[in-house]
Amino acid sequence: MILLPIKLGSVEVRNRVVITAHGASEMFRNPLLPAAPYIEYLRRRAAGGVGLIIAQALYVNPLGVYADELTERHARLAEAVKSEGATLMLQLVHLGATFRSEADVHRPPLWGFSTTVTDHGEVAHAMTDEQIEMMIAGYGRIARMAAEAGFDGCEIHGAHGYLGQQSISPWLNRRSDKWGQDRTLFLRRVIETVRHEIGPGRILGYRTTTDDMRSPEDDGLGVTGAIDSARAILATGEIDVLNTTVGHGGKTYARAIPSYRFGEAVNMPKARHLGEVTGHQVPMIGVGRIASVGIAESLLQSGACEMVAMTRAHIADPDIVAKFSRSEAHRIRPCVGALVCNSRKLAGFSEISCLHNPEVLREHELRVETAADPKRVIVVGAGPAGLKFAEIAARRGHQVRVYDSAARTGGRLRAIERTAASDLASTVDHLTSELALLSVPVSLGVTVDEDLLRTAGADHIVLATGAEPDPGAAFLGADTTQVLSSAEALATDARIDRDVLVYDALGANDGALVAEALADGGRRVYLVTPYETVMPYGGISHRMETPDILRRKLAAIYTEAVIGVADGRTVSVVRPDGQSVADLEAGTIVAITALGPRIRLAEVAARLGLPYTLIGDAMAPRAATDAFREGEVAALGV
């Protein structure tokens, strides 16, 4: 069913696969910055065969008009996407009483339906009746622009805790006037206005929550209230497609955009229920980590929904539909739920990215072309950087061979298999499979030395040799205490004391994942970090859920703290100024500290006069995202 066309109103969409709206490029929203990267980003995915694309939201401006350049770049976007055969809609949203206003000195106070405090601690202004009418007119202006630009329709966002959902939520709309007495009035007026502007021949969609995950006793809607609101919206008779999600923003965003901690289609039971009780009045889009075509197909076959959103899956691989159509589903680059994309957006970065698809929003810059002068290349190291280099170099026509001393590919990332983030290992499994299909030899259990480099006859050497722990621990008593790296602690044959202290000096995901894995294994685990909070650099999406998980599983968490002295049994935890915090029994310390690049072969290559390139951790130990990116960029330069 996934490839069958479907009618949305009077518009036929070529198949059932959807890319839902997601903030990918702040540059595109700014008329003074380049539009081309986002246009090519969506065009590339349209060319990959997706049926419906809902472009990132253009924020409603109740106070004025939009620059001509914004209309023009949306027209260029529509032309590019529709020329590839996809249907294109534009999402309309106002964020209302969310986040903070201080980033833009020109911005007025946050507008909401009641005087309310956002999750980020800013008080919002309760709109007057006149301002609500201005807001509705603002939705209309965007809809008119979308129609003039050639879009096939618009989607009104009524979820994720933004203004639309705020209007129907009892705890955010406490008004006693008509807007509070009938809390669906605002959205119904918006729908009426938008339909008037786009006309009957274009698609009008609505994004709804199936459960705001807040109980009626806590002024929430719950499942029943969410269904009642959706019924009122559908009763307008103007909606052509219903898009779904869950939650009300805030921490529930972690469930709306599920990470690797959740299985596929985790939110579909609620969507299925909504469809059943509303009688599937209009086609419904199922959403929530639908990452594989097999799951997507099963949802459609079962009648759970009429269309499937594979948004993050298309960030990872724009050719999902094309590969499925030509029976190459096994070659789809998997979405692993790393949430690099969403975390970058929530952190305010100008562009999203992907853990293992560096080409996101760099489709022109990183396009793969055949090499003019094919070379014989040896890659030393089969971690993320080395594997990615080998894949891209082989696709360009170079003769590539990969060596690694380990028994499996994956490098340092392979240890992730024994944590809650085990899905991330699929990134290196995918590359390993691709190299086999590209006939690239991968020799494992081989230590590359001077003799091998001298006799291999390579034109170029790529050193993706990774990193290693610093042998000197940064605290007293390390010589009497068992100190392990994260990989050593996660090894299946690791002998670890029952009481473990995880010291996280980097603040990314490693420390939290290792601590959780050891606790799940039955050990009493303490987490100590010098930062003010747990995993400050672990990505906002993960920080919405992981600290709460750790508090449930660990013996204790100490922030703004360091290790003082360890004597083999007791570890003193102190403040950076020396103030004592706690003395803990812990025979094992897992040190998540800075690694050193493993670059001994660079001296050998230089002495032999062989051209070489350092990539990944061998260049500077960082995250896997950096390694995948550097592998691709380096391969394009050889």
Side-chain angles (χ1 to χ4, degrees):
M1 288 186 67
I2 200 170
L3 299 179
L4 291 179
I6 186 172
K7 271 285 194 74
L8 302 181
S10 60
V11 178
E12 183 169 273
V13 181
R14 63 182 173 185
N15 60 53
R16 308 296 179 101
V17 183
V18 183
I19 296 176
T20 56
H22 56 289
S25 173
E26 289 303 316
M27 289 197 303
F28 184 77
R29 291 190 176 112
N30 188 332
L32 301 178
L33 295 176
Y38 183 67
I39 292 174
E40 178 59 15
Y41 167 75
L42 285 193
R43 187 211 65 79
R44 177 69 183 81
R45 281 147 183 81
V50 69
L52 172 64
I53 295 177
I54 307 173
Q56 69 178 21
L58 182 57
Y59 299 135
V60 172
N61 177 4
L63 299 174
V65 297
Y66 299 92
D68 289 342
E69 166 58 23
L70 274 178
T71 302
E72 291 168 7
R73 62 178 50 196
H74 278 85
R76 298 198 299 274
L77 175 64
E79 180 181 9
V81 169
K82 293 173 68 175
S83 70
E84 299 290 354
T87 301
L88 181 66
M89 297 171 64
L90 179 64
Q91 187 181 79
L92 317 181
V93 68
H94 190 284
L95 301 182
T98 55
F99 308 117
R100 296 183 70 89
S101 63
E102 62 200 11
D104 184 352
V105 295
H106 303 288
R107 189 176 180 184
L110 303 177
W111 283 13
F113 284 87
S114 301
T115 301
T116 214
V117 181
T118 74
D119 288 340
H120 292 76
E122 182 167 337
V123 179
H125 161 70
M127 292 182 288
T128 65
D129 186 79
E130 179 185 12
Q131 289 168 338
I132 293 176
E133 294 290 351
M134 292 167 60
M135 186 70 73
I136 294 169
Y139 276 88
R141 282 194 295 274
I142 295 185
R144 187 183 319 128
M145 185 214 76
E148 292 172 352
F151 280 68
D152 295 300
C154 293
E155 177 184 78
I156 296 165
H157 201 333
H160 289 165
Y162 303 144
L163 186 68
Q165 188 172 13
Q166 290 166 28
S167 71
I168 59 175
S169 299
W171 83 96
L172 292 170
N173 181 355
R174 300 185 299 277
R175 303 174 73 101
S176 58
D177 61 6
K178 63 182 181 181
W179 306 105
Q181 293 169 6
D182 177 1
R183 284 194 294 267
T184 65
L185 176 60
F186 172 76
L187 281 169
R188 289 188 287 109
R189 285 283 309 282
V190 168
I191 289 167
E192 177 186 14
T193 301
V194 172
R195 173 57 80 188
H196 174 75
E197 295 294 346
I198 67 174
R202 288 186 170 87
I203 304 166
L204 181 52
Y206 177 72
R207 187 153 206 193
T208 183
T209 183
T210 57
D211 178 3
D212 68 355
M213 303 180 76
R214 184 163 178 155
S215 71
E217 292 75 24
D218 194 23
D219 284 336
L221 292 172
V223 173
T224 301
I227 290 172
D228 289 342
S229 297
R231 279 184 169 137
I233 298 301
L234 291 172
T236 64
E238 300 291 357
I239 299 302
D240 299 312
V241 60
L242 194 64
N243 193 3
T244 62
T245 186
V246 298
H248 62 265
K251 283 192 174 182
T252 67
Y253 206 57
R255 179 61 183 267
I257 317 292
S259 72
Y260 46 64
R261 292 182 177 276
F262 298 91
E264 283 201 55
V266 63
N267 296 331
M268 280 308 301
K270 296 178 186 294
R272 181 190 293 270
H273 178 61
L274 175 63
E276 290 171 349
V277 298
T278 58
H280 290 273
Q281 291 173 242
V282 298
M284 187 172 69
I285 304 172
V287 182
R289 205 183 174 207
I290 302 173
S292 64
V293 289
I295 293 295
E297 183 70 19
S298 68
L299 291 170
L300 295 172
Q301 291 280 2
S302 70
C305 53
E306 287 73 35
M307 303 183 80
V308 284
M310 301 187 73
T311 307
R312 285 181 289 160
H314 273 86
I315 295 174
D317 191 337
D319 291 319
I320 290 174
V321 175
K323 289 178 179 177
F324 177 69
S325 298
R326 57 179 185 253
S327 300
E328 291 185 349
H330 60 289
R331 300 197 71 169
I332 293 172
R333 185 186 298 116
C335 172
V336 296
L339 292 178
V340 170
C341 50
N342 195 52
S343 287
R344 286 181 61 86
K345 169 60 181 172
L346 293 176
F349 295 165
S350 62
E351 296 177 318
I352 63 167
S353 186
C354 173
L355 174 64
H356 63 140
N357 180 12
E359 296 169 26
V360 170
L361 289 164
R362 301 175 71 185
E363 282 79 10
H364 275 307
E365 179 186 348
L366 299 183
R367 60 183 178 273
V368 178
E369 297 178 338
T370 303
D373 180 23
K375 294 180 172 62
R376 290 170 296 176
V377 185
I378 284 180
V379 179
V380 186
L387 293 173
K388 190 64 180 178
F389 177 95
E391 180 219 5
I392 300 299
R395 285 170 55 194
R396 296 190 63 220
H398 294 297
Q399 183 181 331
V400 185
R401 184 174 194 116
V402 181
Y403 293 92
D404 198 295
S405 59
R408 299 177 69 195
T409 60
R412 193 158 57 93
L413 185 61
R414 185 58 74 179
I416 206 80
E417 288 180 322
R418 293 179 284 279
T419 74
S422 59
D423 280 5
L424 270 59
S426 298
T427 58
V428 288
D429 290 336
H430 167 74
L431 284 173
T432 303
S433 175
E434 282 296 295
L435 293 184
L437 293 169
L438 292 167
S439 300
V440 174
V442 179
S443 300
L444 300 173
V446 176
T447 300
V448 175
D449 55 16
E450 184 170 342
D451 286 342
L452 194 154
L453 291 183
R454 182 187 298 111
T455 60
D459 301 312
H460 197 89
I461 309 295
V462 174
L463 299 179
T465 43
E468 54 197 358
D470 186 338
F475 49 89
L476 297 174
D479 54 337
T480 63
T481 302
Q482 183 187 35
V483 181
L484 303 176
S485 68
S486 57
E488 291 170 334
L490 292 171
T492 53
D493 58 351
R495 296 182 177 275
I496 303 175
D497 194 81
R498 181 185 178 279
D499 298 309
V500 182
L501 187 151
V502 176
Y503 179 61
D504 180 14
L506 299 183
N509 297 72
D510 293 12
L513 288 169
V514 171
E516 180 185 4
L518 293 175
D520 286 343
R523 292 179 174 83
R524 182 178 176 87
V525 181
Y526 304 96
L527 178 63
V528 177
T529 179
Y531 297 102
E532 294 179 355
T533 185
V534 175
M535 52 188 289
Y537 307 116
I540 291 179
S541 299
H542 295 297
R543 286 171 54 201
M544 289 177 177
E545 57 182 352
T546 304
D548 290 342
I549 292 172
L550 295 180
R551 278 187 283 272
R552 292 195 299 269
K553 293 185 176 184
L554 306 190
I557 298 172
Y558 299 93
T559 58
E560 298 183 273
V562 297
I563 295 175
V565 178
D567 64 7
R569 184 65 256 169
T570 303
V571 181
S572 66
V573 179
V574 300
R575 300 290 179 210
D577 63 4
Q579 177 187 356
S580 178
V581 175
D583 291 322
L584 306 173
E585 287 193 12
T588 299
I589 295 175
V590 181
I592 315 295
T593 54
L595 303 175
R598 191 182 287 117
I599 54 175
R600 289 180 288 274
L601 281 178
E603 299 176 3
V604 175
R607 187 168 62 252
L608 295 175
L610 296 173
Y612 70 91
T613 301
L614 291 171
I615 58 174
D617 284 353
M619 171 67 75
R622 287 152 296 148
T625 311
D626 303 298
F628 286 117
R629 182 183 65 250
E630 284 186 2
E632 176 147 350
V633 171
L636 294 174
V638 172

